[in-house]
């Protein structure tokens, strides 16, 4: 079987600049202009006097010493914690980012779906973007026309085909983007975690399409935190840890290694406020897991009270004011979605606020089986069409055996929920 992708000694280095100032210092446009004019005046009066703040530079290797070879027709799952280098690797393989070191050999036409909005022009319609993407992939107009109806049917956006995609919801955007990427006959299909935006039926449809592509001899690279999806689709796995390949092997071996090198329990989260403040309309500022006394806690027994507390802040990106809602997503450490707790389902309305609002979700009797669980927080519009912020895997907590409900040791593979219903004879 011929080689589709060969990577040799690949590395990607970034230079991070550090300036000696408060990490939470904000400057308005007026302040920045004023400071610039003052600096210019000082330079004219004292041209040989340096008044710049001390800066230091740090090298950060997002990827280092990456070597692997993927055969034609392989379905490869790339897994790892946040910040491991997964997305950077896919961007390099998609020729969006240049590597700092190393060599990549790719045999075949590559189509990639990395993040919402990639490859689409917001002012063009859905129809125009289909032809634009096909042209970028080197396809002739007749080839695209032959696949056009199939793409539209898969994406389910026929009604909005002649609407500029800037008016699409994130779900519609992703449906069309995946349909284009998967149907324009690439030899290599690269898909990032972006499918998490779609609903369950759409995700199932996409996994089926990627499986079909693999069976047809196409090469598929898939990044996801959903281990169940990775296990179903992929035969080969790559485990990335801190920018380096920890294991390249059979998918079951890679998943097993990933789960045994899990991140420690982390019951609190703080956002990178400086960035989110200027790029978001609303964002999750901080979050924590609390016990019944509302003290920070990462470990709970079955049947204990658990509280999730988080704050939503308003950013500087101002849009039309409208209602918002929030949701908590709980997954097991193998990526299985356990619960999606939505504020509107609980008849809870998030009132308008000027700067920030704190929210507390109380579960008095947690019935999850022992194991590690991961919490993500979503904030968006009332109709769910727009996402304001998604704090992915921001909190980790664990449930352990023991407590008031049972003293026996409960194996994790016995189930998901521990019920103690009332028994009687009849």
């Amino acid at each position: 079987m011929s080689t589709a992708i060969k990577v040799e000694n690949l590395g990607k280095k970034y230079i991070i600049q550090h300036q000696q100032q408060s990490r939470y210092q904000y400057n308005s446009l007026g302040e920045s202009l004023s400071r610039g004019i003052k600096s210019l005046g000082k330079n004219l009066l004292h041209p040989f006097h340096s008044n710049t703040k001390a800066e230091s530079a740090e090298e950060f290797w997002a990827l280092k010493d990456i070597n692997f070879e993927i055969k034609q027709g392989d379905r490869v799952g790339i897994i790892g914690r946040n910040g491991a280098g997964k997305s950077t690797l896919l961007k390099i393989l998609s020729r969006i980012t240049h590597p700092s070191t190393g060599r990549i050999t790719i045999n075949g036409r590559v189509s990639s779906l990395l993040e919402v909005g990639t490859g689409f022009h917001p002012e063009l319609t859905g129809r125009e973007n289909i032809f634009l993407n096909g042209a970028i992939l080197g396809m002739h107009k007749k080839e695209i026309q032959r696949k056009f109806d199939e793409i539209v049917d898969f994406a389910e956006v026929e009604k909005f085909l002649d609407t500029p995609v800037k008016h699409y919801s994130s779900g519609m955007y992703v449906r069309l983007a995946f349909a284009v990427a998967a149907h324009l006959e690439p030899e290599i299909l690269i898909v990032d975690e972006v499918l998490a935006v779609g609903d369950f039926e759409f995700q199932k449809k996409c996994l089926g399409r990627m499986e079909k592509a693999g069976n047809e001899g196409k090469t598929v690279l898939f990044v996801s935190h959903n281990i169940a999806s990775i296990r179903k689709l992929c035969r080969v796995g790559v485990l990335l840890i801190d920018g380096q390949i920890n294991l390249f092997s059979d998918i079951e071996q890679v998943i097993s290694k990933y789960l045994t090198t899990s991140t420690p329990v982390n019951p609190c989260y703080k956002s990178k406020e400086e960035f989110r403040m200027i790029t978001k309309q609303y964002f999750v500022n901080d979050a924590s897991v609390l016990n019944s006394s509302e003290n920070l806690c990462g470990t709970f027994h079955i049947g204990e009270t658990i509280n999730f507390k988080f704050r939503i802040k308003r950013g500087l990106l101002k849009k039309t004011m409208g209602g918002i809602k929030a949701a908590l997503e709980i997954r097991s450490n193998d990526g299985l979605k356990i619960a999606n707790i939505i504020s509107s389902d609980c008849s809870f309305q998030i009132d308008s606020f000027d700067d920030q609002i704190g929210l507390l979700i109380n579960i008095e009797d947690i019935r999850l089986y022992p194991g590690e669980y991961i919490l993500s927080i979503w904030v968006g519009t009332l109709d769910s069409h727009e996402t304001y912020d998604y704090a992915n895997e921001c909190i980790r907590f664990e449930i352990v055996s023991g407590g008031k409900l049972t003293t026996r040791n409960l194996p994790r593979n016995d189930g998901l929920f521990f019920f103690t219903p009332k028994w009687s004879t009849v």
Side-chain angles (χ1 to χ4, degrees):
M1 191 177 292
S2 61
T3 299
I5 300 173
K6 187 175 183 179
V7 174
E8 301 170 272
N9 303 315
L10 182 71
K12 179 62 181 176
K13 178 178 70 174
Y14 293 97
I15 303 297
I16 303 172
Q17 299 289 343
H18 300 287
Q19 192 171 29
Q20 291 181 359
Q21 66 176 23
S22 169
R23 62 178 295 198
Y24 296 111
Q25 179 178 335
Y26 300 107
N27 298 303
S28 67
L29 177 61
E31 289 170 335
S32 298
L33 289 172
S34 175
R35 190 169 58 251
I37 293 169
K38 287 178 182 178
S39 177
L40 176 62
K42 286 181 181 179
N43 287 337
L44 291 173
L45 291 171
H46 308 284
F48 301 107
H49 174 70
S50 174
N51 61 354
T52 58
K53 293 184 179 179
E55 288 189 355
S56 62
E58 174 191 352
E59 285 188 355
F60 171 71
W61 286 90
L63 294 170
K64 197 167 186 179
D65 300 327
I66 302 293
N67 293 276
F68 62 83
E69 187 174 325
I70 296 173
K71 300 295 183 183
Q72 182 183 344
D74 276 351
R75 299 197 297 268
V76 182
I78 302 175
I79 58 180
R81 302 296 172 192
N82 289 336
K86 304 184 298 297
S87 295
T88 302
L89 177 59
L90 293 196
K91 285 179 180 178
I92 291 174
L93 294 177
S94 302
R95 301 186 179 117
I96 293 172
T97 301
H98 290 290
S100 303
T101 62
R103 172 187 172 91
I104 305 169
T105 305
I106 297 177
N107 299 311
R109 184 162 57 194
V110 177
S111 182
S112 58
L113 178 59
L114 302 185
E115 51 193 51
V116 179
T118 301
F120 276 6
H121 193 298
E123 299 294 336
L124 298 182
T125 66
R127 184 189 304 274
E128 291 165 338
N129 270 294
I130 291 173
F131 282 92
L132 173 65
N133 271 260
I136 291 171
L137 285 170
M139 297 182 69
H140 296 296
K141 188 176 180 180
K142 286 185 177 179
E143 290 182 89
I144 304 169
Q145 287 173 332
R146 194 172 67 248
K147 290 284 183 179
F148 186 85
D149 289 341
E150 195 176 345
I151 291 170
V152 174
D153 288 344
F154 188 95
E156 300 173 3
V157 293
E158 184 176 4
K159 185 178 177 181
F160 307 97
L161 203 54
D162 294 306
T163 302
V165 296
K166 67 181 181 180
H167 299 303
Y168 283 19
S169 69
S170 56
M172 291 166 60
Y173 218 121
V174 170
R175 287 205 304 272
L176 183 58
F178 181 87
V180 170
H183 288 80
L184 291 184
E185 299 183 349
E187 282 85 28
I188 301 169
L189 177 62
I190 299 176
V191 181
D192 204 345
E193 186 65 56
V194 69
L195 293 184
V197 176
D199 57 37
F200 175 75
E201 285 302 319
F202 171 70
Q203 291 180 30
K204 185 177 175 183
K205 203 168 162 182
C206 291
L207 288 171
R209 179 66 198 183
M210 287 190 283
E211 191 171 3
K212 181 182 177 185
N215 292 335
E216 291 173 348
K218 309 246 184 344
T219 305
V220 178
L221 274 70
F222 182 41
V223 163
S224 179
H225 288 281
N226 188 329
I227 299 301
S229 297
I230 289 275
R231 177 177 275 128
K232 180 179 179 182
L233 175 69
C234 304
R235 296 179 298 210
V236 179
V238 178
L239 174 59
L240 283 175
I241 297 180
D242 296 330
Q244 295 184 302
I245 291 182
N246 182 271
L247 183 63
F248 184 99
S249 184
D250 172 77
I251 191 63
E252 288 300 330
Q253 291 184 38
V254 171
I255 288 173
S256 177
K257 183 72 179 289
Y258 171 70
L259 295 178
T260 56
T261 56
S262 62
T263 304
V265 167
N266 179 23
C268 58
Y269 161 80
K270 182 73 175 71
S271 72
K272 295 179 180 177
E273 188 174 351
E274 311 98 309
F275 173 74
R276 289 175 179 259
M277 178 64 76
I278 62 174
T279 59
K280 302 283 186 181
Q281 185 176 358
Y282 299 97
F283 65 95
V284 180
N285 186 64
D286 54 74
S288 55
V289 184
L290 312 173
N291 59 20
S292 57
S293 303
E294 295 194 13
N295 294 319
L296 194 65
C297 183
T299 303
F300 299 84
H301 292 103
I302 299 171
E304 287 188 333
T305 294
I306 186 169
N307 294 291
F308 300 111
K309 182 181 179 181
F310 63 98
R311 278 191 304 160
I312 302 172
K313 291 192 74 170
R314 293 199 69 174
L316 299 177
L317 184 64
K318 303 296 183 185
K319 290 186 179 179
T320 327
M321 181 61 186
I324 68 171
K325 69 179 180 182
L328 303 185
E329 180 187 272
I330 300 175
R331 289 181 181 267
S332 60
N333 71 339
D334 60 358
L336 181 65
K337 187 181 287 189
I338 305 297
N340 196 28
I341 306 167
I342 305 174
S343 56
S344 55
D345 288 345
C346 305
S347 302
F348 180 79
Q349 180 178 334
I350 301 175
D351 297 323
S352 60
F353 55 93
D354 293 328
D355 178 48
Q356 61 183 3
I357 187 171
L359 300 172
L360 182 72
I361 294 88
N362 169 259
I363 301 176
E364 292 186 347
D365 185 9
I366 191 74
R367 291 299 185 106
L368 294 175
Y369 253 65
E372 183 184 305
Y373 295 90
I374 304 163
L375 181 76
S376 301
I377 304 174
W378 175 91
V379 179
T381 54
L382 286 173
D383 59 10
S384 302
H385 285 170
E386 185 175 354
T387 296
Y388 292 132
D389 194 19
Y390 182 60
N392 184 36
E393 297 192 357
C394 60
I395 294 286
R396 290 176 180 271
F397 64 96
E398 66 176 345
I399 306 295
V400 296
S401 294
K404 63 182 181 180
L405 293 181
T406 180
T407 56
R408 70 185 179 91
N409 187 43
L410 297 172
R412 172 65 181 84
N413 57 5
D414 267 11
L416 288 175
F417 299 99
F418 183 79
F419 295 119
T420 52
K422 189 175 181 179
W423 289 59
S424 62
T425 57
V426 292

